């Protein structure tokens, strides 16, 4: 540009770079494994505290990765009857159950046209390695309907390579709508009590409408069923982060 | 209840029992009680003194101890007598020991014969008129009476029952918790009496237990957690089979 005096324009320093601190951003999305949250009941909180100490102790020795329902995992367990004393199983995590040390997760895969589901204990000492092969959340919290879906949705390659992923990215949600085998199913998945969003229902309209007869719209307003875990979660997160840093 | 794993990778279920403010209250000698051995009265779990009259507080005042919710008797040999007022801790038991646990079972109220005694009842259909969970016949013709102790509907539960021969897997000395194998009668947070096992297979099981009991002000310094040999401790790496 031409300045008024004819001299070269005044030196404008470049704008300061905006530093996006990835660490603080990551801390905002903190994951607390669901088995740490104690259920509602009349047991002494001391029992949960002691169980948590054991769980933290195990996590210090063996790293349990963050995973949700819908991730594809590979589990290597110690097997006294196998030839090389270990057994590797790859599958999609259908459900995560149990609280405390007895937390379990069920992996499903279809091997040679036979559907196989194995329920593993998260804190079992026989688990030697737990790798997350593919990270993706699904629309539902439990994928038990995959038993009645077409087998292609449950098959995963046993020698699958882990999908690379950046640490700070959000876990992608797979909005896949699964196609089902013809009825009868093991459970009536179209009923509102299961609240499944991941199935592409190809049932006639009148059947979907008839299923809504079992809906209980008052349940979401029931205050006695509310279990606010935010404060409990905060305390447990603090405890976890302190203990794991030691 | 909690899962526990052995060194070979097997899973066992374990009940946690907390030793809360247990004190020895009184020593009753063999002649005084009229039994075969001397007795020690032990009380557990402190409770407010205001809900009972002063006359009930005598035992506790003698021992110098706040009022306890439950007082039980233990039959002891003469060399195991403890002075009244001594506190009892979970370290009295050691891992690898076998133990009997007594407690009041969960009360189910007035229950019918099918739930209470496990009778089969009658079929649901094929002409049964108003008879599906009834006891049926209660005696024979020749007896001409109903025998004493006939199983009939009544109040079920809320009685003392014992589980015998439970193994102690682990002891937490800091919080006074005993990890006992399997399940134990009673609901969560109920009062429970733990005793050395009287089963003949476990008579010689205790190797050097703290005798007569574990004294906290003694010289012995115990670690926070005492484990049995077969337990998998979480500080070890994962189990591998050679």
């Amino acid at each position: 540009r031409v300045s008024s005096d004819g001299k070269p324009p005044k030196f404008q320093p470049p704008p300061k770079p905006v530093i996006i601190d990835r660490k603080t951003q990551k801390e905002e999305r903190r994951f607390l494994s669901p088995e740490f949250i104690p259920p509602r009941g009349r047991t002494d909180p001391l029992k949960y505290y002691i169980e948590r100490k054991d769980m933290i102790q195990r996590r210090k020795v063996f790293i349990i990765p963050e995973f949700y329902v819908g991730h594809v995992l590979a589990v290597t367990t110690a097997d006294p009857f196998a030839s090389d004393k270990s057994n590797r199983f790859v599958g999609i995590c259908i459900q995560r159950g149990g609280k405390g040390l007895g937390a379990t997760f069920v992996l499903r895969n279809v091997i040679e046209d036979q559907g196989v589901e194995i329920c593993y204990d998260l804190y079992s000492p026989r688990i030697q390695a737990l790798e997350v092969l593919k990270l993706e959340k699904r629309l539902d919290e439990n994928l038990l309907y995959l038993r009645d879906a077409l087998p292609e949705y449950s098959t995963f390659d046993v020698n699958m390579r882990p999908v690379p992923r950046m640490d700070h990215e959000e876990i992608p949600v797979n909005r896949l709508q699964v196609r089902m085998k013809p009825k009868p199913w093991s459970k009536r998945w179209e009923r509102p009590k299961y609240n499944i969003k991941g199935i592409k229902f190809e049932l006639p309209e009148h059947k979907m409408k008839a299923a809504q007869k079992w809906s209980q719209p008052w349940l979401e307003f029931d205050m006695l069923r509310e279990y606010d875990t935010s404060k409990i979660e905060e305390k447990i997160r603090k405890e976890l982060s302190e203990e794991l840093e030691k | 209840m909690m899962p526990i794993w052995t060194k070979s990778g097997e899973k066992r279920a374990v009940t946690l029992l907390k030793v809360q403010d247990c004190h020895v209250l009184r020593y009753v000698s063999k002649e005084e009680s009229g039994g075969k051995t001397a007795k020690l009265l032990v009380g557990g779990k402190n409770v407010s003194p205001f809900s009972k009259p002063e006359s009930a507080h005598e035992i506790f005042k003698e021992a110098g101890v706040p009022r306890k919710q439950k007082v039980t008797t233990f039959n002891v040999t003469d060399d195991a007598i403890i002075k009244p007022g001594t506190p009892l801790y979970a370290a009295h038991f050691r891992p690898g020991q076998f133990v009997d646990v007594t407690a009041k079972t969960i009360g189910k109220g007035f229950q019918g014969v099918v739930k209470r005694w496990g009778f089969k009842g009658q079929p649901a259909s094929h002409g049964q008129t108003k008879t599906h969970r009834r006891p049926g016949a209660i005696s024979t013709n020749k007896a001409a009476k109903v025998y004493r102790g006939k199983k009939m509907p009544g109040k079920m539960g809320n009685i003392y029952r014992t589980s015998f021969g439970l193994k102690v897997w682990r002891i937490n000395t800091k919080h006074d918790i005993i990890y006992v194998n399997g399940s134990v009668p009673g609901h969560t947070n109920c009062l429970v009496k733990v005793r050395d096992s009287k089963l003949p297979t476990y008579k010689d099981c205790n190797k050097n237990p703290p005798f007569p009991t574990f004294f906290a002000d003694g010289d012995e310094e115990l670690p926070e957690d005492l484990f049995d040999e077969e337990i998998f401790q979480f500080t070890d790496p994962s189990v591998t089979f050679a």
Side-chain angles (χ1 to χ4, degrees):
Chain A
R1 294 187 196 152
V2 181
S3 70
S4 49
D5 293 347
K7 292 176 201 168
K10 192 174 171 188
F11 170 66
Q12 297 278 357
K16 275 200 174 154
V18 177
I19 304 169
I20 309 167
D21 200 356
R22 297 284 178 201
K23 270 189 189 167
T24 45
Q25 274 200 350
K26 188 182 166 187
E27 262 177 72
E28 283 158 15
R29 178 189 59 97
R30 282 170 303 184
F31 170 72
L32 184 66
S33 214
E35 71 264 4
F36 280 103
I37 303 165
R40 261 201 316 187
R42 294 168 72 178
T43 25
D44 206 352
L46 178 67
K47 185 241 179 187
Y48 296 121
Y49 172 69
I50 286 178
E51 243 189 317
R52 249 177 284 138
K53 271 202 322 196
D54 275 342
M55 286 151 79
I56 291 170
Q57 193 54 257
R58 173 72 180 157
R59 278 184 182 243
K60 279 188 194 169
V61 172
F62 174 75
I63 306 167
I64 296 178
E66 166 189 343
F67 71 97
Y68 298 85
V69 166
H71 284 214
V72 179
L73 303 176
V75 175
T76 336
T77 43
D79 191 353
F81 308 111
S83 47
D84 34 319
K85 303 298 171 194
S86 71
N87 186 354
R88 184 171 192 262
F89 184 73
V90 172
I92 183 170
C93 175
I94 326 185
Q95 86 175 357
R96 285 187 77 165
K99 296 283 180 200
L101 273 180
T104 54
F105 61 100
V106 181
L107 293 186
R108 179 185 166 81
N109 202 344
V110 172
I111 299 177
E112 291 178 20
D113 295 331
Q114 172 63 48
V116 176
E117 286 182 17
I118 305 187
C119 178
Y120 291 101
D121 287 317
L122 255 188
Y123 293 95
S124 165
R126 279 166 101 167
I127 296 187
Q128 285 158 346
L130 187 55
E131 305 136 22
V132 178
L133 297 177
K134 192 165 169 199
L135 282 107
E136 57 173 28
K137 273 201 220 186
R138 293 285 190 106
L139 292 167
D140 308 301
E141 269 180 8
N142 86 39
L143 305 176
L144 291 168
Y145 56 81
L146 286 182
R147 293 171 186 161
D148 300 315
L150 297 172
E152 60 190 35
Y153 294 101
S154 313
T155 29
F156 293 93
D157 183 20
V158 185
N159 303 315
M160 195 163 118
R161 295 274 180 83
V163 168
R165 177 195 164 242
M166 300 292 286
D167 221 6
H168 58 266
E169 273 174 16
E170 292 250 352
I171 301 186
V173 178
N174 190 352
R175 295 187 182 273
L176 175 66
Q177 300 254 311
V178 151
R179 289 186 60 211
M180 305 291 275
K181 287 195 251 190
K183 267 205 165 196
W185 298 330
S186 59
K187 296 231 181 315
R188 294 169 213 249
W189 302 112
E190 73 276 8
R191 293 222 174 146
K193 96 171 199 200
Y194 298 107
N195 195 17
I196 292 190
K197 297 165 193 145
I199 299 185
K200 186 169 186 185
F201 291 109
E202 281 150 11
L203 298 170
E205 270 284 338
H206 69 270
K207 291 228 163 143
M208 295 300 293
K209 249 183 133 181
Q212 291 302 315
K213 216 165 47 163
W214 279 269
S215 69
Q216 295 172 309
W218 56 86
L219 271 188
E220 62 170 312
F221 302 109
D222 195 341
M223 292 176 73
L224 282 182
R225 277 172 205 263
E226 283 168 11
Y227 182 36
D228 189 19
T229 50
S230 46
K231 288 183 189 158
I232 305 171
E233 273 185 37
E234 277 303 317
K235 275 191 207 163
I236 296 177
R237 272 206 194 105
K238 234 169 118 182
E239 205 187 305
L240 262 185
S241 48
E242 275 166 20
E243 290 287 328
L244 284 174
E245 269 161 35
K246 277 187 196 170
Chain B
M1 283 195 74
M2 210 166 86
I4 232 177
W5 284 272
T6 54
K7 286 213 161 103
S8 49
E10 286 160 14
K11 183 164 137 176
R12 302 284 160 89
V14 136
T15 314
L16 310 194
L17 305 174
K18 181 161 166 73
V19 177
Q20 201 167 6
D21 321 311
C22 288
H23 287 91
V24 176
L25 296 176
R26 193 196 275 177
Y27 159 66
V28 178
S29 64
K30 195 159 64 164
E31 295 80 36
E32 218 180 304
S33 65
K36 290 184 192 172
T37 49
K39 294 195 211 292
L40 279 181
L41 288 180
V42 170
K45 196 170 167 196
N46 291 345
V47 138
S48 106
F50 301 117
S51 43
K52 286 284 177 189
E54 286 291 323
S55 49
H57 293 319
E58 271 186 45
I59 309 178
F60 307 110
K61 277 189 189 156
E62 278 167 45
V65 140
R67 189 187 138 226
K68 304 289 183 185
Q69 186 172 344
K70 184 103 198 109
V71 176
T72 46
T73 47
F74 287 91
N75 291 339
V76 264
T77 44
D78 285 323
D79 50 354
I81 299 168
I82 308 173
K83 184 179 172 188
T86 40
L88 300 173
Y89 299 100
H92 176 97
F93 296 101
R94 286 297 144 94
Q97 213 181 328
F98 287 85
V99 133
D100 293 340
V101 176
T102 313
K104 269 201 172 174
T105 49
I106 299 178
K108 314 261 175 183
F110 195 103
Q111 287 298 337
V113 111
V114 168
K115 189 179 181 84
R116 193 177 185 212
W117 299 112
F119 283 16
K120 275 183 82 174
Q122 288 83 25
S125 69
H126 289 300
Q128 314 292 322
T129 41
K130 308 198 294 187
T131 319
H132 306 289
R133 296 177 70 93
R134 296 181 76 185
I138 51 176
S139 189
T140 49
N141 184 18
K142 203 170 175 193
K145 68 168 189 175
V146 177
Y147 293 117
R148 186 194 311 270
K150 174 84 193 71
K151 293 181 179 174
M152 282 184 157
K155 290 254 161 55
M156 180 181 167
N158 202 27
I159 46 173
Y160 285 105
R161 282 290 189 249
T162 316
S163 315
F164 295 99
L166 302 178
K167 181 167 175 178
V168 171
W169 284 105
R170 182 176 159 181
I171 294 199
N172 186 320
T173 35
K174 188 175 162 200
H175 297 279
D176 277 333
I177 297 184
I178 309 174
Y179 290 58
V180 145
N181 191 28
S183 63
V184 138
H187 56 90
T188 37
N189 302 336
C190 77
L191 289 170
V192 130
K193 175 179 175 183
V194 181
R195 228 182 42 217
D196 294 327
S197 192
K198 69 173 203 355
L199 292 181
T201 31
Y202 303 130
K203 221 169 24 169
D204 308 311
C205 221
N206 294 344
K207 302 154 203 169
N208 302 330
F211 196 78
T213 188
F214 171 74
F215 295 105
D217 48 348
D219 302 324
E220 220 184 318
E221 283 264 351
L222 283 181
E224 190 188 325
D225 272 304
L226 292 163
F227 294 94
D228 184 47
E229 298 144 352
E230 283 185 21
I231 261 194
F232 169 79
Q233 302 192 30
F234 289 114
T235 38
D236 304 331
S238 304
V239 158
T240 34
F241 298 102

